[in-house]
Amino acid sequence: MTDKIAIIGFGNIANAIITPLLDKKFIQPNDVYCVVKSRKSLENIKQNYKHNINVYESSSKESKIIWDCQVKLLSVKPQHLIDIFEPDNIKIKDNLLVSILAGVSINRLTNKFPNHKCVRVVTNIPITVGKGLTGIAWCENLTKYQKKITKKLFENTSKVYEFTEDYLDIFLALTSSGPAIVSLIIEALSDGGLSGGLPKILSEELVMEMILGTISLIKEKKLTTSELKNLVTSPGGTTISALRVLEKKSVRSALIESIISASNRSKEFS
Ligand SMILES: NC(=O)c1ccc[n+]([C@@H]2O[C@H](COP(=O)([O-])OP(=O)(O)OC[C@H]3O[C@@H](n4cnc5c(N)ncnc54)[C@H](OP(=O)(O)O)[C@@H]3O)[C@@H](O)[C@H]2O)c1
Protein backbone atom coordinates (compact mmCIF):
# COMPACT_ATOMS: atom_id res chain seq x y z
CA MET A 1 0.00 0.00 0.00
CA THR A 2 1.42 3.37 -0.97
CA ASP A 3 -1.20 5.65 0.60
CA LYS A 4 -0.91 7.46 3.89
CA ILE A 5 -3.44 6.06 6.31
CA ALA A 6 -5.09 7.88 9.22
CA ILE A 7 -6.47 5.95 12.17
CA ILE A 8 -9.08 8.01 14.03
CA GLY A 9 -9.24 6.18 17.38
CA PHE A 10 -6.58 3.56 18.01
CA GLY A 11 -8.30 1.11 20.39
CA ASN A 12 -8.74 -2.66 20.42
CA ILE A 13 -10.22 -3.13 16.98
CA ALA A 14 -8.06 -0.60 15.10
CA ASN A 15 -5.01 -2.19 16.71
CA ALA A 16 -6.16 -5.64 15.57
CA ILE A 17 -6.65 -4.41 12.00
CA ILE A 18 -3.49 -2.33 11.60
CA THR A 19 -0.83 -4.24 13.55
CA PRO A 20 -0.74 -7.31 11.26
CA LEU A 21 -0.53 -5.00 8.22
CA LEU A 22 2.49 -3.29 9.79
CA ASP A 23 3.97 -6.64 10.86
CA LYS A 24 3.75 -7.90 7.28
CA LYS A 25 5.07 -4.57 5.92
CA PHE A 26 1.94 -3.98 3.78
CA ILE A 27 2.10 -0.49 5.26
CA GLN A 28 5.08 1.41 6.61
CA PRO A 29 4.96 2.90 10.13
CA ASN A 30 5.78 6.40 8.86
CA ASP A 31 2.69 6.26 6.59
CA VAL A 32 0.38 5.69 9.57
CA TYR A 33 -1.08 8.79 11.29
CA CYS A 34 -3.06 7.94 14.33
CA VAL A 35 -5.12 10.14 16.64
CA VAL A 36 -6.41 9.31 20.12
CA LYS A 37 -8.37 11.28 22.70
CA SER A 38 -6.25 11.13 25.86
CA ARG A 39 -2.63 11.90 26.72
CA LYS A 40 -2.51 8.56 28.53
CA SER A 41 -3.31 6.60 25.33
CA LEU A 42 -0.87 8.77 23.37
CA GLU A 43 1.97 8.05 25.83
CA ASN A 44 1.05 4.37 25.93
CA ILE A 45 1.28 4.05 22.14
CA LYS A 46 4.52 6.07 22.02
CA GLN A 47 6.18 4.02 24.74
CA ASN A 48 4.76 0.53 24.23
CA TYR A 49 3.54 0.09 20.66
CA LYS A 50 5.98 -2.01 18.68
CA HIS A 51 5.78 0.07 15.50
CA ASN A 52 6.99 3.64 15.34
CA ILE A 53 3.81 5.21 13.93
CA ASN A 54 2.88 8.91 14.04
CA VAL A 55 0.50 9.54 16.91
CA TYR A 56 -1.33 12.67 18.09
CA GLU A 57 -3.75 13.78 20.75
CA SER A 58 -7.10 14.77 19.16
CA SER A 59 -7.04 18.24 20.79
CA SER A 60 -3.59 19.08 19.34
CA LYS A 61 -3.07 21.30 16.27
CA GLU A 62 -0.74 18.68 14.75
CA SER A 63 -3.52 16.10 14.66
CA LYS A 64 -5.10 18.00 11.73
CA ILE A 65 -2.51 16.29 9.54
CA ILE A 66 -4.74 13.20 9.46
CA TRP A 67 -7.10 14.98 7.08
CA ASP A 68 -4.37 14.96 4.41
CA CYS A 69 -4.25 11.16 4.38
CA GLN A 70 -5.84 9.44 1.37
CA VAL A 71 -7.32 6.64 3.52
CA LYS A 72 -8.95 6.99 6.94
CA LEU A 73 -10.05 4.27 9.31
CA LEU A 74 -12.70 5.65 11.64
CA SER A 75 -12.61 3.52 14.79
CA VAL A 76 -13.87 5.53 17.75
CA LYS A 77 -16.85 4.38 19.81
CA PRO A 78 -20.12 5.48 18.13
CA GLN A 79 -20.89 7.91 21.00
CA HIS A 80 -17.63 9.77 20.26
CA LEU A 81 -18.49 10.43 16.62
CA ILE A 82 -19.91 13.85 17.56
CA ASP A 83 -16.39 14.97 18.57
CA ILE A 84 -14.88 14.35 15.10
CA PHE A 85 -15.07 17.18 12.59
CA GLU A 86 -13.95 17.28 8.99
CA PRO A 87 -12.15 20.63 8.42
CA ASP A 88 -13.50 23.08 5.80
CA ASN A 89 -10.19 23.57 4.03
CA ILE A 90 -9.69 19.92 3.10
CA LYS A 91 -7.13 19.68 0.28
CA ILE A 92 -8.11 16.55 -1.64
CA LYS A 93 -11.81 15.75 -2.01
CA ASP A 94 -13.21 12.22 -2.27
CA ASN A 95 -10.63 10.58 -0.05
CA LEU A 96 -11.71 7.25 1.40
CA LEU A 97 -13.15 6.98 4.91
CA VAL A 98 -13.75 3.46 6.22
CA SER A 99 -15.96 3.34 9.30
CA ILE A 100 -16.20 0.36 11.65
CA LEU A 101 -18.69 2.10 13.95
CA ALA A 102 -21.58 -0.14 14.91
CA GLY A 103 -24.96 1.21 13.84
CA VAL A 104 -23.77 4.34 11.98
CA SER A 105 -25.23 4.42 8.47
CA ILE A 106 -23.46 5.46 5.27
CA ASN A 107 -25.96 8.29 4.98
CA ARG A 108 -25.03 9.63 8.43
CA LEU A 109 -21.33 9.27 7.68
CA THR A 110 -21.67 11.07 4.35
CA ASN A 111 -23.54 13.95 6.00
CA LYS A 112 -20.82 14.23 8.63
CA PHE A 113 -17.90 13.87 6.20
CA PRO A 114 -19.19 15.42 2.94
CA ASN A 115 -15.75 15.57 1.33
CA HIS A 116 -15.17 11.84 1.76
CA LYS A 117 -16.38 8.66 0.21
CA CYS A 118 -17.64 6.75 3.21
CA VAL A 119 -17.64 2.97 3.41
CA ARG A 120 -19.37 1.13 6.24
CA VAL A 121 -17.82 -2.01 7.65
CA VAL A 122 -18.98 -4.47 10.29
CA THR A 123 -16.30 -6.64 11.79
CA ASN A 124 -16.20 -8.87 14.85
CA ILE A 125 -14.03 -9.45 17.89
CA PRO A 126 -12.24 -12.62 16.61
CA ILE A 127 -10.44 -10.23 14.25
CA THR A 128 -8.10 -9.71 17.24
CA VAL A 129 -6.78 -13.26 16.68
CA GLY A 130 -6.91 -13.11 12.88
CA LYS A 131 -10.18 -15.07 12.66
CA GLY A 132 -12.62 -12.25 12.08
CA LEU A 133 -15.58 -11.88 9.76
CA THR A 134 -15.99 -8.58 7.99
CA GLY A 135 -18.98 -7.29 6.02
CA ILE A 136 -18.51 -4.27 3.76
CA ALA A 137 -21.20 -1.99 2.33
CA TRP A 138 -19.92 0.35 -0.38
CA CYS A 139 -21.05 3.89 -1.02
CA GLU A 140 -21.61 5.07 -4.58
CA ASN A 141 -18.87 6.10 -7.02
CA LEU A 142 -15.91 4.47 -5.34
CA THR A 143 -12.92 3.80 -7.52
CA LYS A 144 -11.76 0.20 -8.03
CA TYR A 145 -8.60 1.17 -6.18
CA GLN A 146 -10.54 2.45 -3.14
CA LYS A 147 -12.46 -0.84 -2.99
CA LYS A 148 -9.23 -2.78 -3.23
CA ILE A 149 -7.62 -0.78 -0.41
CA THR A 150 -10.67 -1.25 1.84
CA LYS A 151 -10.63 -5.03 1.34
CA LYS A 152 -6.88 -5.11 1.91
CA LEU A 153 -7.34 -3.54 5.34
CA PHE A 154 -9.44 -6.50 6.50
CA GLU A 155 -8.42 -9.51 4.37
CA ASN A 156 -5.39 -10.19 6.47
CA THR A 157 -7.33 -10.79 9.67
CA SER A 158 -10.79 -11.79 8.50
CA LYS A 159 -12.93 -13.29 5.78
CA VAL A 160 -14.47 -10.45 3.84
CA TYR A 161 -18.04 -10.36 2.49
CA GLU A 162 -19.61 -7.61 0.40
CA PHE A 163 -23.23 -6.62 1.02
CA THR A 164 -25.73 -3.88 0.37
CA GLU A 165 -26.11 -1.85 3.55
CA ASP A 166 -29.51 -3.32 4.50
CA TYR A 167 -27.85 -6.71 5.16
CA LEU A 168 -25.33 -5.29 7.64
CA ASP A 169 -27.75 -5.43 10.61
CA ILE A 170 -28.37 -9.15 10.28
CA PHE A 171 -24.67 -9.71 9.50
CA LEU A 172 -23.80 -7.84 12.70
CA ALA A 173 -26.35 -9.85 14.71
CA LEU A 174 -24.88 -13.17 13.54
CA THR A 175 -21.21 -12.31 13.59
CA SER A 176 -20.72 -9.58 16.22
CA SER A 177 -23.34 -10.72 18.75
CA GLY A 178 -22.66 -14.34 17.81
CA PRO A 179 -19.47 -14.71 19.89
CA ALA A 180 -21.41 -13.75 23.05
CA ILE A 181 -24.20 -16.20 22.19
CA VAL A 182 -21.73 -19.00 21.53
CA SER A 183 -19.88 -18.18 24.77
CA LEU A 184 -23.14 -18.48 26.66
CA ILE A 185 -23.81 -21.88 25.03
CA ILE A 186 -20.28 -23.07 25.91
CA GLU A 187 -20.74 -21.88 29.50
CA ALA A 188 -24.13 -23.58 29.84
CA LEU A 189 -22.94 -26.90 28.38
CA SER A 190 -19.88 -26.77 30.68
CA ASP A 191 -22.20 -26.25 33.63
CA GLY A 192 -23.97 -29.42 32.49
CA GLY A 193 -20.63 -31.26 32.71
CA LEU A 194 -20.02 -29.68 36.09
CA SER A 195 -23.43 -30.86 37.30
CA GLY A 196 -22.44 -34.37 36.22
CA GLY A 197 -19.31 -34.16 38.39
CA LEU A 198 -16.58 -32.97 36.00
CA PRO A 199 -14.17 -30.24 37.14
CA LYS A 200 -15.10 -26.84 35.62
CA ILE A 201 -11.90 -26.37 33.58
CA LEU A 202 -12.02 -29.86 32.12
CA SER A 203 -15.71 -29.53 31.34
CA GLU A 204 -15.16 -26.25 29.46
CA GLU A 205 -12.20 -27.69 27.55
CA LEU A 206 -14.26 -30.72 26.49
CA VAL A 207 -17.10 -28.50 25.27
CA MET A 208 -14.78 -26.30 23.20
CA GLU A 209 -12.91 -29.26 21.67
CA MET A 210 -16.25 -30.92 20.90
CA ILE A 211 -17.46 -27.78 19.10
CA LEU A 212 -14.22 -27.45 17.12
CA GLY A 213 -14.37 -31.15 16.20
CA THR A 214 -18.01 -30.89 15.15
CA ILE A 215 -17.26 -27.93 12.87
CA SER A 216 -14.26 -29.75 11.34
CA LEU A 217 -16.39 -32.83 10.68
CA ILE A 218 -19.18 -30.84 9.02
CA LYS A 219 -16.69 -28.96 6.85
CA GLU A 220 -14.34 -31.80 5.93
CA LYS A 221 -17.06 -34.35 5.14
CA LYS A 222 -19.26 -31.66 3.58
CA LEU A 223 -22.20 -32.70 5.77
CA THR A 224 -25.30 -30.66 6.40
CA THR A 225 -26.05 -30.01 10.07
CA SER A 226 -29.14 -32.30 9.79
CA GLU A 227 -26.98 -35.11 8.39
CA LEU A 228 -24.57 -34.81 11.30
CA LYS A 229 -27.45 -34.70 13.78
CA ASN A 230 -28.92 -37.90 12.30
CA LEU A 231 -25.49 -39.55 12.35
CA VAL A 232 -25.26 -39.37 16.15
CA THR A 233 -28.92 -39.81 17.03
CA SER A 234 -29.93 -43.45 17.47
CA PRO A 235 -33.47 -44.63 18.28
CA GLY A 236 -34.29 -44.31 21.96
CA GLY A 237 -30.70 -43.21 22.67
CA THR A 238 -29.00 -40.50 24.74
CA THR A 239 -28.82 -37.84 22.01
CA ILE A 240 -32.51 -37.89 21.10
CA SER A 241 -33.23 -37.69 24.80
CA ALA A 242 -31.08 -34.52 25.02
CA LEU A 243 -32.60 -33.02 21.85
CA ARG A 244 -36.10 -33.65 23.19
CA VAL A 245 -35.33 -31.49 26.22
CA LEU A 246 -34.03 -28.67 23.99
CA GLU A 247 -37.19 -28.81 21.83
CA LYS A 248 -39.41 -28.80 24.95
CA LYS A 249 -37.61 -25.70 26.23
CA SER A 250 -37.87 -23.98 22.80
CA VAL A 251 -34.09 -23.49 22.61
CA ARG A 252 -34.09 -23.47 18.81
CA SER A 253 -36.77 -20.79 18.71
CA ALA A 254 -34.97 -18.76 21.40
CA LEU A 255 -31.77 -18.77 19.33
CA ILE A 256 -33.60 -17.67 16.18
CA GLU A 257 -35.30 -14.87 18.10
CA SER A 258 -32.01 -13.78 19.69
CA ILE A 259 -30.54 -13.07 16.24
CA ILE A 260 -33.65 -11.24 15.02
CA SER A 261 -33.65 -9.19 18.22
CA ALA A 262 -29.98 -8.20 17.82
CA SER A 263 -30.62 -7.27 14.19
CA ASN A 264 -33.64 -5.12 15.12
CA ARG A 265 -31.59 -3.38 17.81
CA SER A 266 -28.87 -2.61 15.27
CA LYS A 267 -31.54 -1.11 12.96
CA GLU A 268 -32.75 1.07 15.85
CA PHE A 269 -29.19 2.40 16.35
CA SER A 270 -28.84 3.20 12.64
N1 LIG B 1 -15.18 -4.14 20.47
C1 LIG B 1 -15.81 -4.87 19.55
O1 LIG B 1 -16.15 -6.06 19.75
C2 LIG B 1 -16.10 -4.28 18.21
C3 LIG B 1 -16.28 -5.15 17.13
C4 LIG B 1 -16.49 -4.58 15.89
C5 LIG B 1 -16.55 -3.20 15.72
N2 LIG B 1 -16.41 -2.40 16.80
C6 LIG B 1 -16.48 -0.95 16.62
O2 LIG B 1 -15.15 -0.47 16.66
C7 LIG B 1 -15.15 0.83 17.23
C8 LIG B 1 -14.00 0.90 18.21
O3 LIG B 1 -14.19 -0.07 19.22
P1 LIG B 1 -12.99 -0.46 20.20
O4 LIG B 1 -13.48 -1.60 21.01
O5 LIG B 1 -11.73 -0.59 19.43
O6 LIG B 1 -12.95 0.89 21.11
P2 LIG B 1 -11.80 1.40 22.10
O7 LIG B 1 -10.83 0.32 22.39
O8 LIG B 1 -12.49 2.08 23.22
O9 LIG B 1 -11.02 2.51 21.22
C9 LIG B 1 -11.60 3.75 20.91
C10 LIG B 1 -10.49 4.69 20.50
O10 LIG B 1 -11.08 5.94 20.11
C11 LIG B 1 -10.30 7.00 20.67
N3 LIG B 1 -11.08 8.24 20.71
C12 LIG B 1 -12.13 8.57 21.49
N4 LIG B 1 -12.54 9.82 21.19
C13 LIG B 1 -11.74 10.29 20.20
C14 LIG B 1 -11.64 11.50 19.47
N5 LIG B 1 -12.47 12.53 19.68
N6 LIG B 1 -10.69 11.61 18.51
C15 LIG B 1 -9.84 10.60 18.27
N7 LIG B 1 -9.87 9.42 18.93
C16 LIG B 1 -10.80 9.27 19.89
C17 LIG B 1 -9.90 6.46 22.01
O11 LIG B 1 -8.84 7.22 22.58
P3 LIG B 1 -8.59 7.17 24.19
O12 LIG B 1 -8.07 5.80 24.48
O13 LIG B 1 -7.58 8.24 24.38
O14 LIG B 1 -9.90 7.45 24.84
C18 LIG B 1 -9.49 5.03 21.62
O15 LIG B 1 -8.19 5.04 21.07
C19 LIG B 1 -16.53 1.06 17.84
O16 LIG B 1 -17.20 2.04 17.10
C20 LIG B 1 -17.24 -0.25 17.73
O17 LIG B 1 -18.60 -0.08 17.37
C21 LIG B 1 -16.12 -2.90 18.03
Side-chain angles (χ1 to χ4, degrees):
M1 249 162 89
T2 52
D3 293 328
K4 289 190 188 317
I5 175 162
I7 318 291
I8 307 172
F10 195 69
N12 297 317
I13 303 293
N15 201 322
I17 295 166
I18 297 302
T19 304
L21 295 172
L22 285 162
D23 287 347
K24 293 192 174 163
K25 302 192 190 323
F26 287 150
I27 38 179
Q28 300 306 317
N30 55 347
D31 286 331
V32 177
Y33 294 78
C34 148
V35 55
V36 288
K37 173 100 174 160
S38 64
R39 176 144 290 265
K40 192 175 159 211
S41 289
L42 174 96
E43 294 300 337
N44 185 29
I45 295 168
K46 277 192 168 165
Q47 282 165 25
N48 301 320
Y49 190 54
K50 61 178 167 173
H51 296 288
N52 193 16
I53 57 175
N54 304 287
V55 56
Y56 309 94
E57 214 175 323
S58 56
S59 56
S60 71
K61 260 190 185 169
E62 298 79 43
S63 71
K64 303 285 174 277
I65 195 169
I66 60 161
W67 297 101
D68 295 335
C69 295
Q70 297 92 328
V71 179
K72 293 167 194 76
L73 179 71
L74 181 64
S75 45
V76 296
K77 293 276 189 204
Q79 64 268 29
H80 294 141
L81 181 61
I82 47 166
D83 301 329
I84 319 283
F85 295 100
E86 179 189 277
D88 298 331
N89 58 345
I90 212 152
K91 283 187 204 149
I92 307 166
K93 312 283 178 191
D94 289 343
N95 276 332
L96 176 68
L97 184 141
V98 178
S99 165
I100 60 163
L101 273 60
V104 179
S105 67
I106 292 178
N107 195 25
R108 194 166 150 210
L109 291 165
T110 309
N111 285 335
K112 180 133 184 98
F113 305 104
N115 288 308
H116 286 80
K117 288 185 179 168
C118 301
V119 172
R120 184 174 162 201
V121 167
V122 171
T123 191
N124 69 350
I125 194 81
I127 199 170
T128 51
V129 289
K131 301 259 179 200
L133 292 169
T134 297
I136 303 179
W138 306 112
C139 62
E140 284 172 12
N141 302 324
L142 279 173
T143 64
K144 264 189 186 166
Y145 179 68
Q146 287 173 322
K147 286 191 175 185
K148 192 174 145 194
I149 292 289
T150 307
K151 285 197 218 165
K152 213 153 185 72
L153 285 176
F154 297 93
E155 274 168 353
N156 212 31
T157 40
S158 55
K159 282 191 178 175
V160 173
Y161 299 82
E162 294 166 65
F163 293 106
T164 54
E165 196 179 11
D166 44 340
Y167 281 102
L168 283 190
D169 297 305
I170 191 70
F171 180 84
L172 179 144
L174 269 182
T175 63
S176 293
S177 306
I181 296 169
V182 171
S183 296
L184 181 140
I185 292 171
I186 293 171
E187 196 180 55
L189 292 175
S190 306
D191 282 350
L194 191 67
S195 308
L198 287 178
K200 173 87 180 157
I201 293 176
L202 175 62
S203 189
E204 209 161 271
E205 185 182 316
L206 292 178
V207 172
M208 288 196 281
E209 290 301 324
M210 175 275 291
I211 291 173
L212 286 173
T214 306
I215 293 168
S216 298
L217 180 60
I218 287 173
K219 284 192 152 185
E220 279 173 34
K221 301 275 180 197
K222 297 192 179 11
L223 298 174
T224 64
T225 45
S226 313
E227 281 168 340
L228 176 59
K229 198 181 91 183
N230 291 340
L231 210 63
V232 295
T233 311
S234 48
T238 54
T239 309
I240 192 62
S241 171
L243 293 176
R244 198 174 131 233
V245 174
L246 296 180
E247 292 298 350
K248 254 193 193 166
K249 303 272 181 194
S250 303
V251 169
R252 187 202 298 255
S253 162
L255 289 173
I256 295 170
E257 292 304 318
S258 74
I259 298 300
I260 299 299
S261 175
S263 175
N264 288 343
R265 192 81 184 114
S266 171
K267 280 191 191 119
E268 280 168 25
F269 286 138
S270 307

